[in-house]
């Protein structure tokens, strides 16, 4: 008898990838995936703890699932991911109808733990060791991955996939739970990574996004040789079938020359760099323990603009971090203006119990001030996004077509014209009219119009604009020139 699995995933790309693995392993045990929890006998929530809001959402879903469990006591409800590792036993206390709690480093146990819970063995837990709960080797070992298990049907498109190259994080930014929930930073071996990329290419995958919390800090030492991200990119570039390589998220201090050279020289390598700045104030960066100054970040941006003039850079910001004054917030505004990010993800500071910031600094910026700062930064970023997108009008870009746009929905048979969406090598979203046959292909599109987040164009048989468009920002250019003096 098959089982029916419903899985809900929140959080970052790591969680999306983890859910793919979980589904792959459960399919191997005769589970079928369903998209309505009412039709499932196993309900899994893959959770995130990065902000309070993400946790509240899960506890509210768990509240609603209580009735399901009352109606069908044999149904299994599981909480996976970062919140499972962080809250552990507390989840059973707050939601007694939960059957299993499994952290991101123990997901290889998932099928067995479900089976035990189903056979009446009671509540099950699969957790990694805390960062001070034993010898370093054991702690590292307790954060495992079972990455080679892949399920192409779980991906948003069959030709795009994530590939984890690094687990955990050792940066310990004072506001962040990730070093606790995902454990110590560990690079996977290059052999494993390349082998997995080959499997993905054989499954028809054209675009691989390498994942790591600080992906450009990746290193793997073996036999006297250290492999870094740039070396991996050279190795992956040689795989037939793979046409694009991306990597997220970058840590500003580790953006070294080798990596920028690889990004410049390898045609498959995306010219998109997500390098979160977090704040434009040196005092705040120090309190966040980010390990760089605004001047360091500027210097990095100059090197990026010099080596990769057409690259798009995006950032994350936290507004309303403990003690952030209006003046300090305005320094973040200034940096958005100066760096002209392609886009920025902007978050209101959310105090996380157990972090250094929660221990050391009061969360003293009122919520309405956080909200106003968030909106102000978003509005500026949107205006910059639109201005920079305008500069693409009349140029031709190469678009990897991902599928019908939201507007087109599911309509249209094979030959019908419908609105498609895809991305440029700089990760810009492009919509244009085409046919389903173009999905998964890289097509040239001439840009006719734009919004802050989207380029709007049409497929061209012949190119009628410059091939590669480079956005130069006057302020940065000036600084680069000054720094050369
Ligand atoms: N490893 C990545 C991102 C991890 S979390 C990096 O270092 O860039 C993604 C983003 O969430 C962070 O970049 C940060 O902007 C935000 N974030 C993390 N903890 C937060 C908190 N406590 N409150 C608000 N935003 C937070
Ligand atoms: Fe969190 Fe900082 Fe690590 Fe990113 S680098 S995951 S923000 S501790
Ligand atoms: Fe959230 Fe864990 Fe990712 S806390 S952001 S799911 S690493």
């Amino acid at each position: 008898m098959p089982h029916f699995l419903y899985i809900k995933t929140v959080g970052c790309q790591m969680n999306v990838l983890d859910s793919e693995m979980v589904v792959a392993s459960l399919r191997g045990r005769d589970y079928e995936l369903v998209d309505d929890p009412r039709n499932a006998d196993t309900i899994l929530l893959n959770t995130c703890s990065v902000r309070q809001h993400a946790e509240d959402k899960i506890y509210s879903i768990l509240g609603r699932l209580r009735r399901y469990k009352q109606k069908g006591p044999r149904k299994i409800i599981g909480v996976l991911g970062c919140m499972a590792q962080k809250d552990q036993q507390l989840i059973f206390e707050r939601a007694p109808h939960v059957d299993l709690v499994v952290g991101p480093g123990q997901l290889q146990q998932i099928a067995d733990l479900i089976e035990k819970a189903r056979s009446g063995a009671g509540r099950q837990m699969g957790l990694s060791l805390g960062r001070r709960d034993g010898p370093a080797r054991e702690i590292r070992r307790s954060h495992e991955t079972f990455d080679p298990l892949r399920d192409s049907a779980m991906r948003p498109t069959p030709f795009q996939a994530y590939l984890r190259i690094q687990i955990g994080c050792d940066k310990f930014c004072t506001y962040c739970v990730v070093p606790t929930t995902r454990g110590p930073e560990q690079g996977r071996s290059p052999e494993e990574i390349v082998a997995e990329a080959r499997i993905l290419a054989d499954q028809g995958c054209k675009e691989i996004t390498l994942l790591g919390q600080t992906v450009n800090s990746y290193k793997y030492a073996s036999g006297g040789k250290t492999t870094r991200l740039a070396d991996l990119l050279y190795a992956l570039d040689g795989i037939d079938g793979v046409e694009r390589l991306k990597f997220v998220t970058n840590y500003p201090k580790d953006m070294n020359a080798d990596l920028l050279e690889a990004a410049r020289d390898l045609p498959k390598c995306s010219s998109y760099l997500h390098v979160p700045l977090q704040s434009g104030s040196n005092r705040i960066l120090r309190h966040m323990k980010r390990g760089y100054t605004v001047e360091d970040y500027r210097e990095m941006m100059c090197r990026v603009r010099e080596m990769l003039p057409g690259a798009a850079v995006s950032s994350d910001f936290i507004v309303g971090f403990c003690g952030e004054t209006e003046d300090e917030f305005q320094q973040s505004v200034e940096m958005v203006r100066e760096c002209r990010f392609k886009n920025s993800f902007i978050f209101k500071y959310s105090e996380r119990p157990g972090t250094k910031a929660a221990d050391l600094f009061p969360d003293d910026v009122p919520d309405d001030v956080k909200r106003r700062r968030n909106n102000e930064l978003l509005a500026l970023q949107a205006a910059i996004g639109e201005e920079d997108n305008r500069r693409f009008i009349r140029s031709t870009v190469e678009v990897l077509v991902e599928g019908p746009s939201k507007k087109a929905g599911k309509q249209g048979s094979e030959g019908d014209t419908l609105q498609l969406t895809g991305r440029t090598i700089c990760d810009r979203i492009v919509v244009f009219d085409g046919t389903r046959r173009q999905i998964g292909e890289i097509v040239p599109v001439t840009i006719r119009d734009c919004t802050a987040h989207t380029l709007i164009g049409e497929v061209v048989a012949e190119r009628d604009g410059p091939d590669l468009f480079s956005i130069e920002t006057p302020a940065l250019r000036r600084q680069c020139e000054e720094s050369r003096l």
Side-chain angles (χ1 to χ4, degrees), residues 302-316:
C302 286
R303 284 189 290 118
V304 169
R305 298 296 186 206
E306 223 166 280
M307 295 268 281
L308 305 165
V313 178
S314 65
S315 179
D316 291 353

Side-chain angles (χ1 to χ4, degrees), residues 336-338 340-342 379-389 452:
V336 169
R337 206 168 269 137
E338 180 180 317
R340 296 189 76 87
F341 298 110
K342 173 180 81 86
L380 172 65
Q381 178 59 65
I384 288 170
E386 183 167 350
E387 253 172 54
D388 284 350
N389 276 350

Side-chain angles (χ1 to χ4, degrees), residues 327-478:
D327 196 43
E328 285 164 338
F329 165 66
Q330 286 306 325
Q331 293 171 21
S332 294
V333 172
E334 264 321 300
M335 282 304 278
V336 169
R337 206 168 269 137
E338 180 180 317
C339 298
R340 296 189 76 87
F341 298 110
K342 173 180 81 86
N343 64 290
S344 292
F345 298 96
I346 300 161
F347 307 103
K348 292 187 293 175
Y349 172 61
S350 167
E351 185 174 271
R352 308 287 51 226
T355 57
K356 266 262 155 47
D359 290 346
L360 293 178
F361 314 117
D363 177 14
D364 54 1
V365 178
D367 198 55
D368 58 330
V369 174
K370 287 180 183 168
R371 198 170 323 122
R372 193 214 355 107
R373 290 180 185 172
N374 193 320
N375 290 342
E376 188 178 329
L377 214 49
L378 272 178
L380 172 65
Q381 178 59 65
I384 288 170
E386 183 167 350
E387 253 172 54
D388 284 350
N389 276 350
R390 287 218 159 273
R391 304 175 65 182
F392 279 82
I393 291 177
R394 284 188 299 284
S395 69
T396 298
V397 291
E398 309 234 296
V399 178
L400 174 60
V401 187
E402 294 177 0
S405 69
K406 276 203 194 105
K407 188 176 128 190
K410 291 198 163 77
Q411 310 145 1
S413 57
E414 210 41 20
D416 290 350
T417 301
L418 77 169
Q419 194 181 60
L420 298 172
T421 180
R423 280 176 197 259
T424 66
I425 191 99
C426 298
D427 204 54
R428 289 190 157 81
I429 299 169
V430 183
V431 298
F432 61 96
D433 284 343
T435 64
R436 280 182 189 275
R437 274 194 284 271
Q438 288 164 320
I439 297 173
E441 299 297 317
I442 293 181
V443 298
V445 175
T446 297
I447 304 306
R448 298 288 178 218
D449 200 358
C450 73
T451 66
H453 305 286
T454 313
L455 300 173
I456 303 157
E458 56 199 45
V459 180
V460 275
E462 290 197 14
R463 298 179 175 219
D464 60 354
D467 262 4
L468 239 190
F469 208 80
S470 124
I471 296 182
E472 288 169 346
T473 68
L476 270 167
R477 170 150 270 252
R478 221 175 19 252

Side-chain angles (χ1 to χ4, degrees), residues 43-216:
I43 295 175
L44 300 179
L45 307 177
N46 196 2
T47 63
C48 172
S49 279
V50 80
R51 284 170 288 277
Q52 184 63 43
H53 177 70
E55 293 191 349
D56 293 346
K57 213 159 87 184
I58 294 297
Y59 277 114
S60 130
I61 295 174
L62 284 175
R64 291 201 297 276
L65 286 175
R66 192 184 298 253
R67 246 175 358 109
Y68 279 105
K69 185 77 174 178
Q70 279 161 356
K71 279 200 209 149
R74 291 188 54 77
K75 280 181 202 266
I76 297 293
I77 298 178
V79 175
L80 322 179
C82 289
M83 198 181 93
Q85 182 63 37
K86 174 176 159 284
D87 282 0
Q88 308 194 352
Q89 188 68 29
L90 181 70
I91 296 174
F92 292 134
E93 285 161 25
R94 287 185 65 175
H97 51 294
V98 168
D99 300 284
L100 63 144
V101 166
V102 190
Q106 287 294 317
L107 291 172
Q108 75 285 0
Q109 291 199 60
I110 189 80
D112 293 339
L113 293 177
I114 294 177
E115 225 165 271
K116 279 194 198 153
R118 207 185 294 286
S119 63
R123 287 173 177 160
Q124 301 296 315
M125 279 223 253
L127 297 171
S128 304
L129 293 175
R131 300 236 17 174
R132 292 194 191 142
D133 289 350
R137 244 165 76 105
E138 271 174 45
I139 298 173
R140 274 202 303 276
R141 266 209 208 128
S142 76
H143 288 271
E144 286 183 50
T145 63
F146 61 134
D147 287 40
L149 214 51
R150 307 297 310 233
D151 190 318
S152 55
M154 268 301 281
R155 296 179 205 137
T157 77
F159 42 86
Q160 294 174 297
Y162 294 128
L163 200 175
R164 183 173 1 237
I165 65 167
Q166 179 192 56
I167 63 174
C169 180
D170 281 346
K171 299 290 192 253
F172 285 101
C173 304
T174 55
Y175 51 80
C176 185
V177 289
V178 175
T180 314
T181 61
R182 297 259 168 189
E185 180 185 318
Q186 304 181 66
R188 293 179 66 211
S189 83
E191 291 75 25
E192 260 176 61
I193 294 167
V194 171
E196 197 174 328
R198 290 222 167 86
I199 296 174
L200 292 170
D202 288 345
Q203 290 175 348
C205 182
K206 292 187 177 174
E207 179 185 278
I208 295 181
T209 303
L210 306 178
L211 294 186
Q213 293 299 344
T214 53
V215 73
N216 56 337

